Amino acid sequence: MFTSFIPYIGLWVLMYFSLDWSYWITLSLALLNAFFLVRIFIIQHDCGHQSFLKSKRWNNVVGFFCSFFSSIPYHYWATNHNFHHVHNGQLENIEIGDIKVATVEEFRSYTPMQRFGYRLYRMPIVMFLLGPIYYILIVNRLPFARLKGWKQTIIDLIPNNLVMAVLYVGLAWFLGWKKFLLLQLPVTVLFGTIAVWFFYVQHQHEHTYKQWQKNWDYLLSAIRGSTFYKLPRVFNWLTGNIGYHHIHHLSSGIPNYNLKRCAKENPVLQKYVTTVGFVESLKCMFHKLWDEEQQRMISFREFYRRERQLQAA
């Protein structure tokens, strides 16, 4: 916590003074600070899994505190995310706590407008820039996800939103609206982009795992349905080792600071996982549809090429 919050606050203050020098310097500092915000969010994430600390009470206190930095409500998001863990890769439940994926057959049955909407949703500029903004400002402010037994979770969203609104309005009043937006907006947007990108790479790789619930297997969903995102050590540190995502899905009770150790002490966990480096991960942007027949993600181009071949035959 010390190595996450202190640098974040320090860089935020430095960003404030850099406004008198050059906004390009401010944006450069914002990019670095976005990674520290990711690190703070990983603490919140682990608290939501009740794994960061031994005490449930303190996990909730720390997680709730982190939410005022990340702008993502603690209890509501944690409930959505835990649902994702229990149903990771299930095609029936893909829209709660996960990125929507259409199967080839579903996309084939779409109307022209539905296809347009889905293609727009899967565009990189929407998925990694506009999407994170919408996710933080709208999706996590309003209880779109409503399942049985979630009443208290939805109620908890109200005080979280109110306290966050008071905090942000207070900062904007103290610093001035313009300065506050020039400082907070780029950090939040960059944080959202980084977070969504990591989540995307970890579950949208070519040979991921997607099954209907009747055929679904928890072990396969963890090992095959997640990646080991192999990055330089500094980025593993900045992102709370979330690159070891297969281990995290295998057991969400392992805190981020023990994931690397777990991988080292249990080499079998690294044997069957899909390992992805940064350059290789860029190819994931072309993965748009789940092909049940081939059990792999395909691009729109591949889909339409096959459609033309079928029509010609």
Side-chain angles (χ1 to χ4, degrees):
M1 290 180 66
F2 181 84
T3 57
S4 301
F5 285 98
I6 299 301
Y8 177 80
I9 294 170
L11 283 167
W12 209 92
V13 171
L14 190 58
M15 285 173 62
Y16 174 80
F17 287 109
S18 74
L19 289 173
D20 295 329
W21 310 328
S22 167
Y23 195 58
W24 289 110
I25 296 176
T26 307
L27 290 177
S28 299
L29 292 171
L31 177 58
L32 177 59
N33 219 11
F35 277 100
F36 279 101
L37 189 52
V38 170
R39 190 168 162 82
I40 289 171
F41 179 65
I42 293 299
I43 295 174
Q44 176 182 337
H45 161 271
D46 282 5
C47 288
H49 285 302
Q50 299 298 316
S51 66
F52 190 69
L53 301 164
K54 291 182 179 180
S55 164
K56 180 178 180 179
R57 177 175 177 271
W58 280 107
N59 271 313
N60 291 334
V61 169
V62 171
F64 192 69
F65 177 72
C66 290
S67 70
F68 301 126
F69 289 81
S70 70
S71 303
I72 295 177
Y74 172 63
H75 288 288
Y76 181 73
W77 184 87
T79 303
N80 275 265
H81 186 63
N82 284 318
F83 182 92
H84 158 69
H85 268 258
V86 178
H87 302 86
N88 177 40
Q90 290 181 5
L91 291 167
E92 295 97 331
N93 299 299
I94 207 101
E95 292 190 47
I96 298 180
D98 206 341
I99 293 170
K100 177 177 172 57
V101 178
T103 68
V104 167
E105 289 300 318
E106 286 174 332
F107 190 71
R108 186 175 286 136
S109 69
Y110 282 177
T111 64
M113 280 304 298
Q114 286 175 320
R115 288 192 181 190
F116 174 77
Y118 182 75
R119 294 196 65 165
L120 185 67
Y121 169 75
R122 300 289 297 201
M123 286 180 64
I125 192 171
V126 174
M127 181 66 68
F128 305 116
L129 181 60
L130 301 179
I133 297 173
Y134 177 75
Y135 181 75
I136 292 173
L137 296 180
I138 306 298
V139 174
N140 279 292
R141 304 274 78 80
L142 302 172
F144 287 107
R146 291 171 176 266
L147 293 178
K148 186 178 180 180
W150 283 30
K151 183 177 179 181
Q152 187 58 47
T153 298
I154 293 170
I155 291 172
D156 288 340
L157 186 59
I158 298 171
N160 197 288
N161 283 340
L162 288 174
V163 175
M164 192 172 297
V166 169
L167 176 65
Y168 277 38
V169 169
L171 283 170
W173 176 80
F174 181 73
L175 299 174
W177 282 101
K178 184 179 178 181
K179 284 189 175 182
F180 177 72
L181 290 176
L182 287 173
L183 295 170
Q184 188 63 25
L185 198 59
V187 175
T188 303
V189 171
L190 288 167
F191 154 68
T193 297
I194 295 167
V196 170
W197 172 254
F198 267 72
F199 191 79
Y200 185 92
V201 170
Q202 287 155 349
H203 295 297
Q204 303 287 310
H205 52 291
E206 183 178 0
H207 297 285
T208 186
Y209 181 83
K210 308 288 183 190
Q211 284 289 343
W212 298 104
Q213 194 168 0
K214 63 181 181 180
N215 300 319
W216 183 81
D217 182 85
Y218 178 83
L219 180 62
L220 291 176
S221 75
I223 300 298
R224 277 181 49 197
S226 306
T227 61
F228 167 45
Y229 200 10
K230 191 175 183 180
L231 296 171
R233 185 178 299 178
V234 64
F235 288 104
N236 274 332
W237 185 81
L238 284 170
T239 56
N241 294 316
I242 202 63
Y244 292 90
H245 210 63
H246 57 303
I247 298 177
H248 171 62
H249 263 273
L250 197 60
S251 177
S252 60
I254 301 172
N256 72 83
Y257 48 83
N258 278 336
L259 287 172
K260 186 177 180 180
R261 174 186 167 191
C262 181
K264 185 177 181 181
E265 293 181 358
N266 301 274
V268 68
L269 297 177
Q270 302 299 100
K271 186 175 180 180
Y272 300 103
V273 69
T274 299
T275 300
V276 181
F278 177 72
V279 174
E280 188 179 3
S281 71
L282 297 176
K283 299 176 184 177
C284 292
M285 285 190 289
F286 299 102
H287 300 160
K288 310 294 187 180
L289 298 166
W290 176 247
D291 189 328
E292 293 183 80
E293 185 178 335
Q294 297 188 75
Q295 290 290 292
R296 54 183 283 262
M297 296 288 293
I298 65 170
S299 65
F300 287 128
R301 179 179 294 182
E302 185 174 349
F303 170 81
Y304 284 110
R305 186 175 66 244
R306 286 192 203 169
E307 291 297 289
R308 288 192 295 270
Q309 290 172 348
L310 287 172
Q311 290 172 4

